[in-house]
Amino acid sequence: MITRVIIPGLPLFWQGFLVTLELCAIGFFGGIVLGAVLTLLGFVSRPTRWIATAIAEFFRATPVYVGLVWVAYVWPDLFGWPDTVWQAACAALVLQTGAYLSETFRGGFLAIARGQREAAAALGLRPATIVVQILTPQVLLNSIPSLINQMVIVFKSSTVVSVIGVQDLLYHANSIINRYYEPLEVLTFVASIYILTITLISMAARKVEARLRERLS
């Protein structure tokens, strides 16, 4: 079965795997940026805090699938964007990831003793300098385990994008199943790819975590 199904389908598997990796990278790093913005808005003023909290709570309470189809099929009528299913998938993953990471970053800021900010202000440091040079490294250090976990979650969540037609790994797996009618072999192979990739991501992230802790501590 491997020679009849898996080997002929390797080009499609590879193509879908690359799409999955690209989608996950956009979702994760875009989510970091969005999470940081939502976190900062939460400390600016009461109105911005309400807006940031509403956005974060909405997407944290919404299943990935629901958020995906909502962005893909409702947003074009409301906002005229996204124009493609690829853009919809990226936006949905960024929003979902950013919502969770905003809570992570907010907890990281609140965990820092208020005395540090007061001492820095007493030394005459500007607010921007305090945030960038004193608070942000500590927040990053405290958030590393959650970031690693969120990276894995994004990779797993990306499997739903095939339902709107994004040609990721699972999309091509389903197309191969429909061609050869051998779901056991195909899905087992795809599951092995996901397991191996997540394991490698976790191992690499742990090494990065160790280096960051050594540098930032």
Side-chain angles (χ1 to χ4, degrees):
M1 296 298 178
I2 293 180
T3 56
R4 191 171 73 88
V5 178
I6 303 301
I7 293 179
L10 285 178
L12 286 179
F13 284 125
W14 176 247
Q15 180 181 343
F17 181 67
L18 293 179
V19 171
T20 296
L21 289 181
E22 184 178 0
L23 186 63
C24 291
I26 294 173
F28 179 69
F29 291 107
I32 290 178
V33 174
L34 178 61
V37 170
L38 293 177
T39 302
L40 292 177
L41 289 177
F43 291 104
V44 172
S45 64
R46 182 172 296 180
T48 58
R49 182 167 63 251
W50 288 344
I51 295 173
T53 301
I55 294 174
E57 290 299 323
F58 178 83
F59 283 99
R60 288 177 68 238
T62 305
V64 178
Y65 174 82
V66 175
L68 175 66
V69 296
W70 184 61
V71 171
Y73 300 127
V74 177
W75 276 29
D77 292 335
L78 293 178
F79 311 115
W81 186 87
D83 300 320
T84 64
V85 293
W86 170 258
Q87 294 175 358
C90 291
L93 288 178
V94 168
L95 289 167
Q96 196 87 21
T97 304
Y100 280 100
L101 289 182
S102 67
E103 190 66 20
T104 298
F105 295 151
R106 188 180 73 87
F109 273 111
L110 294 177
I112 299 174
R114 186 180 183 87
Q116 292 192 36
R117 297 191 293 270
E118 295 175 348
L123 292 173
L125 296 179
R126 292 179 298 177
T129 303
I130 295 174
V131 171
V132 174
Q133 296 187 6
I134 297 177
L135 301 182
T136 300
Q138 296 184 69
V139 172
L140 178 60
L141 193 62
N142 294 333
S143 303
I144 288 176
S146 297
L147 286 172
I148 295 174
N149 183 60
Q150 191 61 43
M151 188 186 304
V152 173
I153 291 175
V154 172
F155 192 76
K156 291 180 179 179
S157 300
S158 68
T159 55
V160 303
V161 301
S162 60
V163 301
I164 62 171
V166 177
Q167 298 184 10
D168 68 331
L169 178 58
L170 190 59
Y171 178 94
H172 286 299
N174 286 326
S175 68
I176 293 172
I177 291 173
N178 293 332
R179 182 186 306 173
Y180 295 103
Y181 299 101
E182 298 288 351
L184 177 61
E185 290 77 7
V186 174
L187 293 180
T188 301
F189 182 69
V190 170
S192 300
I193 294 176
Y194 277 104
I195 293 171
L196 178 61
T197 304
I198 289 175
T199 301
L200 293 176
I201 289 175
S202 299
M203 291 173 60
R206 296 299 178 189
K207 290 184 178 181
V208 173
E209 176 186 4
R211 291 190 177 183
L212 284 176
R213 287 191 180 278
E214 181 180 352
R215 177 173 297 183
L216 296 177
S217 297

